[in-house]
Amino acid sequence: MFTCTGYAATSAETKLAPFTFERRDPGPNDIEIEIVYCGVCHSDLHQARNEWQNTLYPCVPGHEIVGRVTRVGAEVKDFRQGDLAAVGCMVDSCRSCDSCREGLEQYCQPGFTATYNGPEQGTGANTFGGYSSHIVVDRHFVLRVPEGLDLAGVAPLLCAGVTTWSPLRRWGVGPGQKIGIVGLGGLGHMGVKLAHALGAHVVLFTTSPGKEADAKRLGADEVVISKDADAMAAQAESFDFILDTVAAQHDINAYLGLLKRDRTLVQVGAPEKPLDVNVFSVIWRRRNFAGSLIGGIAETQEMLDFCGKHGITADIEMIPISEVETAYARMQRSDVKYRFVIDMASLPKAA
Ligand code: NAP
Ligand code: ZN
Ligand code: ZN
């Protein structure tokens, strides 16, 4: 075991504060990474505040991790000390169920081990995430960082990138299709960039009129202010696919009605309370309402490689870790441009 520093929430009501804890030394198949940057996902906020009612405390959030390898286990042949490495939302899974065998570890039937909030395979213990100095992860769950990209802008690809990439690929988004992205936050802005790079005609739906110019710069062909009923009506029944990234309550039926016959709206945003689906939104035109959870390890690497080839990174605001609560407050007001990334050099040193 060795000592790490980090930031943790100790209850739903307490603010994140400095926290010292132990991690295992790397085993034969493990890689130890000194964390350089960690993105701030809205899930970190949901989890720290126990909005999904399953938080284990103390909670060290963070699952958009990039850093440098400091130690490798004897069986690890393809990473060396000093290499760049990345970790996303998962650090382990059962490795033997159908989903794991198909490279869809996020749908592991007994359940995967999340980068934070556990449960560790076998013991059920809590896990501690990327708002920390180091992390130790099995090689299978460590990603390679493509060369030539800004490292801080790569961090958000590990969740926001793959969570939008996975459904865009699963539903075959590409040239000749009109697709919608709902919400321009961390996930939404990656959805716009990736869908644009995949060749689709991209329409961004936002509640924030001030984000219009940015959305176009990021790759949207059209921007619709979702509070404008006439603008919404003009888009009726015209979409091949819609990806909804909204983190709060909103009217999902307003978007289901924009799909053509037999097309799909995929929900990735995870508000704490259920969304009301009017059955006629899906009965009419035989539409589909689906969900999607992050992405598997192979498709995460595929997404990173695609981003390397196309020069895609997140648009970020860098913060010291002491400002994480301010970042959460801004995220709650939809005031994100478009992902906060923590500079881990700002972590207080161990006493
Ligand atoms: P974020 O950066 O806070 O972005 C969410 C965006 O939703 C906001 O920027 C805002 O965009 C829009 N929005 C917020 N409140 C709204 C409201 N009341 N009505 C309509 N739109 C609203 O969050 P994020 O990190 O992208 O995460 C988004 C959600 O995805 C979170 O719930 C997160 O937990 C979830 N998530 C899910 C997965 C998965 O695997 N399914 C993975 C990661 C995250 P505009 O200002 O443009 O309207
Ligand atoms: Zn996330
Ligand atoms: Zn499994």
Side-chain angles (χ1 to χ4, degrees):
M1 302 288 266
F2 69 106
T3 303
C4 291
T5 54
Y7 256 53
T10 45
S11 78
E13 291 78 34
T14 51
K15 297 198 148 109
L16 272 77
F19 174 66
T20 301
F21 61 100
E22 302 281 300
R23 290 198 191 271
R24 68 174 186 269
D25 286 311
N29 294 305
D30 285 337
I31 298 179
E32 179 193 83
I33 299 164
E34 183 176 20
I35 300 174
V36 179
Y37 300 114
C38 184
V40 176
C41 180
H42 204 114
S43 301
D44 301 350
L45 168 58
H46 290 304
Q47 199 78 65
R49 306 284 197 254
N50 199 23
E51 288 175 11
W52 296 329
Q53 275 109 49
N54 67 350
T55 304
L56 304 170
Y57 293 100
C59 172
V60 178
H63 57 207
E64 294 184 336
I65 299 166
V66 291
R68 289 221 174 258
V69 173
T70 40
R71 286 192 281 175
V72 295
E75 300 299 322
V76 178
K77 306 294 181 204
D78 55 350
F79 274 92
R80 289 198 311 201
Q81 191 183 2
D83 284 354
L84 290 176
V87 177
C89 304
M90 298 182 283
V91 290
D92 208 353
S93 70
C94 87
R95 319 283 182 97
S96 59
C97 73
D98 289 350
S99 296
C100 284
R101 280 206 298 262
E102 287 174 45
L104 297 168
E105 299 88 347
Q106 75 275 34
Y107 302 115
C108 173
Q109 275 124 0
F112 68 88
T113 302
T115 302
Y116 60 88
N117 212 51
E120 197 174 74
Q121 301 291 310
T123 68
N126 198 2
T127 51
F128 297 128
Y131 296 7
S132 62
S133 58
H134 299 79
I135 193 161
V136 177
V137 180
D138 186 287
R139 162 68 190 97
H140 181 75
F141 292 85
V142 176
L143 286 310
R144 236 177 228 296
V145 176
E147 282 175 19
L149 296 180
D150 170 59
L151 192 59
V154 169
L157 303 180
L158 277 301
C159 175
V162 72
T163 300
T164 50
W165 174 260
S166 181
L168 291 172
R169 297 288 285 163
R170 171 78 177 79
W171 275 272
V173 166
Q177 295 178 8
K178 179 178 175 185
I179 75 112
I181 303 284
V182 187
L184 196 67
L187 267 55
H189 99 290
M190 286 313 308
V192 168
K193 288 188 185 208
L194 293 170
H196 173 73
L198 287 167
H201 178 91
V202 181
V203 182
L204 185 270
F205 294 91
T206 180
T207 59
S208 310
K211 292 181 182 174
E212 201 161 345
D214 279 350
K216 294 229 164 115
R217 175 178 58 77
L218 297 167
D221 298 286
E222 299 176 50
V223 178
V224 175
I225 307 302
S226 52
K227 293 170 180 161
D228 178 342
D230 292 340
M232 290 293 280
Q235 299 286 340
E237 307 205 5
S238 66
F239 281 82
D240 293 294
F241 178 81
I242 297 177
L243 184 65
D244 185 327
T245 74
V246 173
Q249 292 317 112
H250 62 293
D251 180 14
I252 195 72
N253 301 293
Y255 296 100
L256 287 168
L258 304 187
L259 292 170
K260 293 177 188 167
R261 194 199 75 227
D262 283 324
R263 301 306 202 277
T264 301
L265 182 151
V266 174
Q267 185 67 37
V268 287
E272 58 180 313
K273 298 213 179 71
L275 296 173
D276 285 325
V277 175
N278 178 340
V279 294
F280 293 104
S281 302
V282 287
I283 289 176
W284 187 249
R285 308 290 188 220
R286 198 166 60 187
R287 297 176 177 117
N288 305 298
F289 179 48
S292 183
L293 178 66
I294 49 176
I297 292 302
E299 66 185 336
T300 305
Q301 191 63 61
E302 177 194 65
M303 175 275 309
L304 285 167
D305 296 344
F306 179 89
C307 288
K309 208 165 133 202
H310 293 263
I312 297 173
T313 53
D315 282 31
I316 66 143
E317 286 187 59
M318 188 96 79
I319 56 164
I321 198 155
S322 55
E323 282 175 25
V324 69
E325 286 287 342
T326 314
Y328 282 2
R330 279 187 53 196
M331 201 154 60
Q332 247 156 348
R333 299 195 297 268
S334 302
D335 177 20
V336 186
K337 295 211 162 79
Y338 281 88
R339 196 57 135 188
F340 293 106
V341 170
I342 304 167
D343 180 359
M344 279 309 152
S346 65
L347 258 182
K349 301 285 172 260

